[in-house]
Amino acid sequence: MSATAPQPVPTAQDLRARKGGDPLVCLTAYTTPVARLLDPHCDLVLVGDSVGMVLHGLPSTLGVTMEMMILHGQAVARGLSRAMMVIDMPFGSYEESPQQAFRNAARLMAETGAGAVKIEGGVSMSDTIRFLAARGIPVMAHVGLTPQSIHTLGGYKVQGRDAGEAKVIADARAVAEAGACAVVLEKVPAALADRITAEIAIPTIGIGASPGCDGQVLVVDDMLGLFTDFKPKFVKRYADLGTDADAAVASFAADVRARRFPGPEHIFADTAKGSKA
Ligand code: KIV
């Protein structure tokens, strides 16, 4: 392969092969420019249904539709050349039956070019994961706190404490045995995440879990300080772009009100003579 040949985009098999290796780096993206920014740094880029809350101002992920996921998936795909793209199946698009899940997963993959779909649920979704995996659809599972189930979970609570531990373990085992290529562990105690990571054969991707997971994921707007409606304990802010953007918009508003903008360098002369634009 020549030095300039594009690297092959990793597949679900490559992902499984990373079990126990260097930690997998994953962030969410919903747009082309952010996907471009992440592509050189991330192994995986997740088009998360968090898009509903982060970009569309919805109160939860429950109102996200297939059409929204397809539109954002297509935008993200345009910004990626080396990272693997994984796309969330929205609430209501896969729970009814394995057949419904296949139809919608196939549509998401065909229309966006994603390399895998992500679905929430453990034991209850294991037949669906097996059905999809056997038909050419790589599935990343998501257990622990599953935001599409907040109404049955009673909110965004830590999962797997005390008596809840057995359920999270059973869920992680079930999705691994069903053929998922990786599993997100969200908001579970660190010791439990470590135990699951040691036990199952597929990579665990932690969010509010443990540094011992096989990889980590965060919502990009959270870690850049752009989404500030709330800040879960598990988010580390690597930048404060929201504050920077607020200052920039305030400067623009002040300049416009004082007629300092546009300046001479931003306006056009009457004649094109000697002008570059
Ligand atoms: O929707 C999302 O962004 C997610 C991640 C937080 C794992 O599911």
Side-chain angles (χ1 to χ4, degrees):
M1 193 185 292
S2 83
T4 53
Q7 294 289 308
V9 171
T11 64
Q13 280 193 11
D14 301 320
L15 184 54
R16 287 183 82 110
R18 292 281 296 271
K19 175 71 190 174
D22 289 342
L24 289 154
V25 178
C26 180
L27 286 169
T28 63
Y30 319 114
T31 64
T32 307
V34 171
R36 281 201 186 112
L37 186 75
L38 306 190
D39 193 46
H41 305 288
C42 291
D43 300 296
L44 303 165
V45 169
L46 172 68
V47 188
D49 62 353
S50 49
V51 68
M53 299 172 78
V54 174
L55 288 199
H56 294 268
L58 294 173
S60 74
T61 56
L62 301 185
V64 174
T65 63
M66 282 288 290
E67 285 63 35
M68 286 162 76
M69 294 310 298
I70 288 169
L71 208 61
H72 288 287
Q74 289 170 339
V76 168
R78 286 181 210 115
L80 299 182
S81 61
R82 55 165 297 284
M84 177 177 170
M85 176 170 136
V86 180
I87 190 162
D88 259 334
M89 297 197 70
F91 178 64
S93 71
Y94 61 93
E95 300 89 334
E96 202 176 306
S97 65
Q99 288 77 8
Q100 182 214 23
F102 180 82
R103 234 179 359 264
N104 284 319
R107 183 170 168 218
L108 280 175
M109 290 185 71
E111 295 188 29
T112 68
V117 298
K118 178 163 82 58
I119 70 178
E120 296 185 4
V123 171
S124 64
M125 280 299 130
S126 55
D127 285 346
T128 295
I129 294 172
R130 195 170 289 108
F131 189 88
L132 296 182
R135 287 161 179 78
I137 305 218
V139 181
M140 179 182 283
H142 184 155
V143 306
L145 174 64
T146 46
Q148 292 176 9
S149 306
I150 43 159
H151 294 301
T152 45
L153 294 177
Y156 297 97
K157 297 176 182 161
V158 177
Q159 301 296 307
R161 281 195 174 131
D162 309 321
E165 189 181 83
K167 177 181 185 319
V168 180
I169 293 173
D171 282 341
R173 279 187 191 145
V175 299
E177 281 160 16
C181 59
V183 57
V184 170
L185 300 181
E186 180 163 352
K187 216 165 173 181
V188 298
L192 175 58
D194 288 344
R195 179 174 164 193
I196 290 170
T197 301
E199 196 183 301
I200 64 174
I202 58 173
T204 56
I205 316 282
I207 174 163
S210 161
C213 289
D214 297 299
Q216 303 295 329
V217 59
L218 282 178
V219 169
V220 72
D221 296 66
D222 284 342
M223 56 84 78
L224 292 178
L226 275 171
F227 182 72
T228 53
D229 289 8
F230 48 86
K231 181 190 164 302
K233 174 182 161 89
F234 58 72
V235 170
K236 177 172 175 183
R237 287 249 167 91
Y238 286 84
D240 195 3
L241 300 192
T243 304
D244 293 349
D246 182 61
V249 173
S251 292
F252 170 74
D255 279 0
V256 169
R257 292 190 178 112
R259 300 194 188 283
R260 282 191 299 264
F261 178 84
E265 69 275 38
H266 307 118
I267 56 179
F268 302 95
D270 289 343
T271 163
K273 213 195 278 176
S275 161
K276 286 188 186 144

